[in-house]
Amino acid sequence: KTLKDLGDLKGKRVLVRADFNVPLDGTTITDDGRIKAALPTINTLRQEGAKVILMAHLGRPKGKVVPELSLAPVAIRLGQLLGVDVPLAADTYGPDAQTKVEAMKDGDVILLQNVRFNPEETSKDEAERDEYAKKIAALGEVFVSDGFGVVHRAQGSNYSVAKFLPSAAGLLVEKEVKALSKATENPERPFTVVLGGSKVSDKLGVIENLLSKADRLVIGGGMVFTFLKAEGYEVGSSLLEEDQVDTVKGYIQTAKEKGVELVLPTDIVVADEFKADSPHRVVPADSIPADKMGLDIGPDSQKLFHDKIVDSKTVVWNGPMGVFEFPAFADGTRAVAQGLVDATKAGAFTIVGGGDSASAVRNLGFPEDGFSHISTGGGASLEFLEGKALPGLEVLK
Ligand code: 3PG
């Protein structure tokens, strides 16, 4: 169900679950992509004359009030982006939330305090979550689920609430599901999947699901060293998941059997230690010295990955190619991002799959419109790509 299914929303109190789990440096938001992504739904509801009551989490406070995880910086940033004051309730469903909701006029927007300050939000006991969700639901008349980044969780404010109010997906959730389905269900070929990030163990489900769909699998980031090890090379002091080497050997074999092209880096930028200013140099991927750690893919690999991406009609990318937070080790991630931008220009459908890769493209200065879609989901987009049923979406059906 989508917004259209909710009928006339004029004057109605609309509870909206958003994903405002943004990276913070103290109280400074370092990437507001998730807040911007919520604007279309909020603006549409305001234009319809609804009273918009936003709910969100920040971090993992484990059911306690943690002042550093207050949504105050989000309320301020959201207010700036909307051009209106966005009051923050001191609680999620308590007296302050109720007073603030009662004072709302048509088109107003308020934000409830971090839903995870309540232990029931993430309780394993469904009955406890339901009781809590009823109290939240009492604040609204309809529920809009627009926090794509949390649809893989069955928590109080994004899942249980939908049981007690007429509910629908917001515009962001709709857009995410359309984009990710387009890539995974009926991709125009060649379909290239680029995976990076530190751990191969986080990507097992994605690799398994996409090995039977993709034409090409391009691997970089910390996880690549487990692939290089599985190919029989030494990886020095690079990240390595020894216990996954056999699993990865299996993937390499499956890729061969299914005719999926597996693209690994041919050269690696190695450093003495994990530090921004560590001395570094480029070595062949099959000769990483014992005392060095790989922190990025090398220049030949950057060109190789870029060319493979440009030679695609559908590209899904998840996970940085190196330690992009350190400028000396950001070139691999930059080359992949540039590959997607060039592929998009050439008519390909390209997706940046959330989390670190989405922050990386924004922080490296790539324009949002250089890609067909930048997902706001981290774990959620990964689980979507794994082909799993996501509770936050199922409950809306
Ligand atoms: C995310 O950052 O991926 C989402 O906001 C979900 O957060 P969580 O992993 O703490 O549930």
Side-chain angles (χ1 to χ4, degrees):
K1 285 196 205 132
T2 60
L3 281 189
K4 285 179 219 84
D5 298 302
L6 293 175
D8 184 9
L9 295 173
K10 175 144 184 56
K12 287 227 170 112
R13 285 172 283 129
V14 182
L15 269 171
V16 180
R17 176 59 155 103
D19 182 7
F20 292 148
N21 194 22
V22 289
L24 283 177
D25 183 3
T27 55
T28 306
I29 297 169
T30 54
D31 177 13
D32 63 2
R34 281 179 163 166
I35 305 180
K36 286 186 174 147
L39 296 178
T41 293
I42 300 172
N43 281 324
T44 301
L45 292 170
R46 293 188 66 213
Q47 277 152 20
E48 290 191 27
K51 297 169 182 163
V52 185
I53 307 164
L54 293 163
M55 307 183 269
H57 74 279
L58 187 60
R60 293 178 175 167
K62 300 200 167 97
K64 296 206 173 63
V65 176
V66 177
E68 295 75 31
L69 295 177
S70 161
L71 283 167
V74 172
I76 293 169
R77 183 73 191 120
L78 185 60
Q80 289 164 347
L81 292 167
L82 289 172
V84 294
D85 187 28
V86 177
L88 174 71
D91 44 37
T92 306
Y93 59 82
D96 194 49
Q98 288 168 22
T99 310
K100 285 201 164 57
V101 168
E102 272 160 32
M104 288 178 88
K105 298 193 199 66
D106 294 1
D108 278 356
V109 182
I110 68 164
L111 176 61
L112 305 178
Q113 187 51 285
N114 194 340
V115 289
R116 289 192 184 168
F117 283 176
N118 308 286
E120 308 96 316
E121 166 73 8
T122 50
S123 166
K124 290 198 168 48
D125 178 351
E126 188 166 353
E128 199 171 284
R129 279 200 322 264
D130 283 356
E131 277 313 303
Y132 157 77
K134 271 188 209 163
K135 292 180 204 153
I136 297 183
L139 295 173
E141 293 164 273
V142 292
F143 171 60
V144 172
S145 169
D146 210 30
F148 180 74
V150 281
V151 292
H152 59 315
R153 310 268 181 232
Q155 298 181 343
S157 63
N158 78 309
Y159 174 84
S160 316
V161 169
K163 300 184 195 172
F164 305 107
L165 289 175
S167 305
L171 299 175
L172 175 62
V173 165
E174 209 186 330
K175 180 168 152 227
E176 292 268 13
V177 169
K178 266 197 196 136
L180 292 166
S181 312
K182 181 170 168 184
T184 51
E185 276 166 20
N186 199 8
E188 238 197 288
R189 297 182 180 280
F191 174 23
T192 298
V193 176
V194 186
L195 294 177
S198 52
K199 288 162 127 193
V200 69
S201 52
D202 288 343
K203 305 272 158 66
L204 301 178
V206 178
I207 298 174
E208 270 159 36
N209 190 33
L210 294 182
L211 262 179
S212 58
K213 294 188 171 157
D215 300 301
R216 190 182 284 140
L217 202 54
V218 178
I219 311 276
M223 65 187 271
V224 84
F225 300 105
T226 307
F227 276 78
L228 293 175
K229 182 83 182 177
E231 292 278 34
Y233 307 138
E234 289 310 320
V235 297
S237 56
S238 311
L239 268 184
L240 173 67
E241 284 176 277
E242 201 74 65
D243 57 341
Q244 300 297 343
V245 172
D246 284 341
T247 309
V248 168
K249 280 186 184 161
Y251 292 153
I252 294 172
Q253 186 58 30
T254 310
K256 275 192 195 125
E257 284 161 14
K258 291 191 184 273
V260 176
E261 184 189 2
L262 180 64
V263 183
L264 298 179
T266 54
D267 57 350
I268 299 287
V269 183
V270 295
D272 295 347
E273 50 186 337
F274 190 88
K275 263 191 172 170
D277 58 356
S278 174
H280 54 276
R281 64 188 163 97
V282 177
V283 300
D286 59 4
S287 332
I288 299 177
D291 61 341
K292 303 282 181 213
M293 60 170 67
L295 295 185
D296 196 8
I297 58 170
D300 289 348
S301 314
Q302 289 161 27
K303 180 163 183 340
L304 173 71
F305 284 18
H306 174 275
D307 293 351
K308 294 287 179 188
I309 292 166
V310 173
D311 172 44
S312 312
K313 283 271 177 283
T314 306
V315 187
V316 171
W317 169 34
N318 192 300
M321 295 295 108
V323 189
F324 73 93
E325 297 88 341
F326 300 158
F329 309 108
D331 287 346
T333 303
R334 196 176 281 117
V336 163
Q338 190 60 51
L340 267 81
V341 168
D342 294 342
T344 315
K345 273 192 206 135
F349 184 68
T350 60
I351 295 187
V352 181
D356 282 349
S357 358
S359 294
V361 299
R362 285 191 280 264
N363 289 334
L364 293 174
F366 287 91
E368 295 267 329
D369 61 4
F371 309 88
S372 308
H373 182 69
I374 302 181
S375 177
T376 55
S381 33
L382 273 181
E383 290 198 22
F384 196 102
L385 295 174
E386 285 173 27
K388 281 192 185 161
L390 305 179
L393 297 179
E394 294 301 310
V395 76
L396 302 175
K397 284 185 183 156

